[in-house]
Amino acid sequence: MSQRPVTPALDDRIADGRCLLWEAGGRPVSMAGITRTLVGTARVAPVYTPPELRGRGYAGAVTAAVSQAAKDSGAQEVLLFTDLANPTSNALYRRLGYRPVEDYLVLTFE
Protein backbone atom coordinates (compact mmCIF):
# COMPACT_ATOMS: atom_id res chain seq x y z
CA MET A 1 0.00 0.00 0.00
CA SER A 2 1.50 3.32 -1.03
CA GLN A 3 1.28 6.31 1.24
CA ARG A 4 0.14 9.69 0.01
CA PRO A 5 2.20 12.71 1.01
CA VAL A 6 0.93 14.53 4.06
CA THR A 7 0.12 18.15 3.40
CA PRO A 8 1.71 20.87 5.54
CA ALA A 9 -1.75 21.86 6.83
CA LEU A 10 -2.39 18.32 8.07
CA ASP A 11 1.11 18.10 9.55
CA ASP A 12 0.39 21.37 11.39
CA ARG A 13 -2.98 20.15 12.66
CA ILE A 14 -1.53 16.87 13.95
CA ALA A 15 1.50 18.55 15.56
CA ASP A 16 -0.77 21.10 17.22
CA GLY A 17 -3.02 18.37 18.69
CA ARG A 18 -6.04 19.41 16.62
CA CYS A 19 -6.58 16.02 14.97
CA LEU A 20 -7.87 13.16 17.08
CA LEU A 21 -7.66 9.53 16.04
CA TRP A 22 -10.22 7.32 17.82
CA GLU A 23 -9.19 3.75 18.52
CA ALA A 24 -11.11 0.64 19.56
CA GLY A 25 -9.26 -2.51 20.49
CA GLY A 26 -5.97 -0.87 19.53
CA ARG A 27 -7.19 -0.22 15.99
CA PRO A 28 -7.93 3.24 14.52
CA VAL A 29 -11.65 3.46 13.78
CA SER A 30 -12.49 7.14 13.32
CA MET A 31 -10.95 10.59 13.26
CA ALA A 32 -11.94 14.21 13.64
CA GLY A 33 -10.09 17.47 13.39
CA ILE A 34 -10.67 20.94 14.76
CA THR A 35 -9.45 24.27 13.41
CA ARG A 36 -7.57 26.79 15.46
CA THR A 37 -9.87 29.02 17.47
CA LEU A 38 -10.25 32.37 15.77
CA VAL A 39 -12.34 35.17 17.27
CA GLY A 40 -13.74 32.68 19.79
CA THR A 41 -14.86 30.14 17.16
CA ALA A 42 -13.47 26.75 16.16
CA ARG A 43 -14.77 24.45 13.43
CA VAL A 44 -14.90 20.66 13.51
CA ALA A 45 -13.49 19.28 10.26
CA PRO A 46 -12.98 16.71 8.99
CA VAL A 47 -14.88 13.83 10.60
CA TYR A 48 -14.35 10.41 9.04
CA THR A 49 -15.12 6.79 9.83
CA PRO A 50 -14.50 4.06 7.24
CA PRO A 51 -17.81 2.79 5.79
CA GLU A 52 -17.39 -0.69 7.25
CA LEU A 53 -17.06 0.73 10.79
CA ARG A 54 -19.97 3.17 10.71
CA GLY A 55 -23.00 2.84 12.97
CA ARG A 56 -20.98 1.93 16.07
CA GLY A 57 -20.76 5.35 17.69
CA TYR A 58 -17.14 6.06 16.80
CA ALA A 59 -17.81 9.27 14.87
CA GLY A 60 -20.04 10.55 17.67
CA ALA A 61 -17.39 9.83 20.29
CA VAL A 62 -14.53 11.46 18.38
CA THR A 63 -16.67 14.48 17.40
CA ALA A 64 -17.76 14.98 21.01
CA ALA A 65 -14.13 14.72 22.14
CA VAL A 66 -12.75 17.34 19.71
CA SER A 67 -15.73 19.61 20.38
CA GLN A 68 -15.08 19.46 24.12
CA ALA A 69 -11.34 19.97 23.61
CA ALA A 70 -12.08 23.13 21.60
CA LYS A 71 -14.34 24.47 24.36
CA ASP A 72 -11.76 23.55 27.01
CA SER A 73 -9.09 25.48 25.10
CA GLY A 74 -11.20 28.64 24.99
CA ALA A 75 -13.54 28.38 22.00
CA GLN A 76 -16.82 30.11 22.82
CA GLU A 77 -18.51 28.59 19.77
CA VAL A 78 -17.84 25.34 17.95
CA LEU A 79 -19.39 24.83 14.56
CA LEU A 80 -19.41 22.29 11.78
CA PHE A 81 -20.81 22.01 8.29
CA THR A 82 -22.81 18.98 7.31
CA ASP A 83 -24.54 17.65 4.24
CA LEU A 84 -28.30 18.19 4.55
CA ALA A 85 -28.80 15.06 2.45
CA ASN A 86 -27.19 12.91 5.17
CA PRO A 87 -29.81 12.31 7.89
CA THR A 88 -27.49 10.02 9.86
CA SER A 89 -24.79 12.63 10.48
CA ASN A 90 -27.37 15.38 11.01
CA ALA A 91 -29.12 13.35 13.71
CA LEU A 92 -25.77 12.54 15.34
CA TYR A 93 -24.70 16.18 15.49
CA ARG A 94 -28.06 17.20 16.98
CA ARG A 95 -27.65 14.52 19.69
CA LEU A 96 -24.24 16.05 20.49
CA GLY A 97 -25.84 19.46 20.99
CA TYR A 98 -25.24 21.07 17.62
CA ARG A 99 -28.17 22.91 16.11
CA PRO A 100 -28.86 24.05 12.56
CA VAL A 101 -28.21 27.73 11.99
CA GLU A 102 -28.10 28.33 8.24
CA ASP A 103 -28.21 26.47 4.96
CA TYR A 104 -25.57 27.17 2.33
CA LEU A 105 -25.54 26.44 -1.36
CA VAL A 106 -22.28 26.22 -3.26
CA LEU A 107 -22.45 26.98 -6.98
CA THR A 108 -19.64 26.33 -9.40
CA PHE A 109 -19.58 28.09 -12.75
CA GLU A 110 -17.63 26.66 -15.64
Side-chain angles (χ1 to χ4, degrees):
M1 179 162 112
S2 67
Q3 291 185 339
R4 292 191 282 176
V6 177
T7 65
L10 184 56
D11 276 340
D12 180 56
R13 191 172 289 196
I14 291 168
D16 205 27
R18 293 179 291 109
C19 187
L20 181 61
L21 183 65
W22 201 258
E23 296 182 356
R27 174 182 171 204
V29 294
S30 191
M31 62 86 55
I34 193 85
T35 64
R36 282 192 175 99
T37 301
L38 183 61
V39 193
T41 303
R43 180 171 70 98
V44 174
V47 177
Y48 180 75
T49 302
E52 70 274 10
L53 297 174
R54 293 177 185 168
R56 302 175 191 195
Y58 300 140
V62 74
T63 301
V66 296
S67 299
Q68 187 61 54
K71 302 270 300 176
D72 291 348
S73 69
Q76 297 160 359
E77 292 184 332
V78 180
L79 60 93
L80 56 78
F81 289 91
T82 185
D83 181 356
L84 291 176
N86 187 335
T88 302
S89 64
N90 293 324
L92 163 65
Y93 298 140
R94 281 189 192 100
R95 284 194 307 272
L96 294 178
Y98 285 92
R99 61 181 176 79
V101 176
E102 285 188 37
D103 293 338
Y104 286 88
L105 176 65
V106 177
L107 301 174
T108 303
F109 297 96
E110 295 181 18

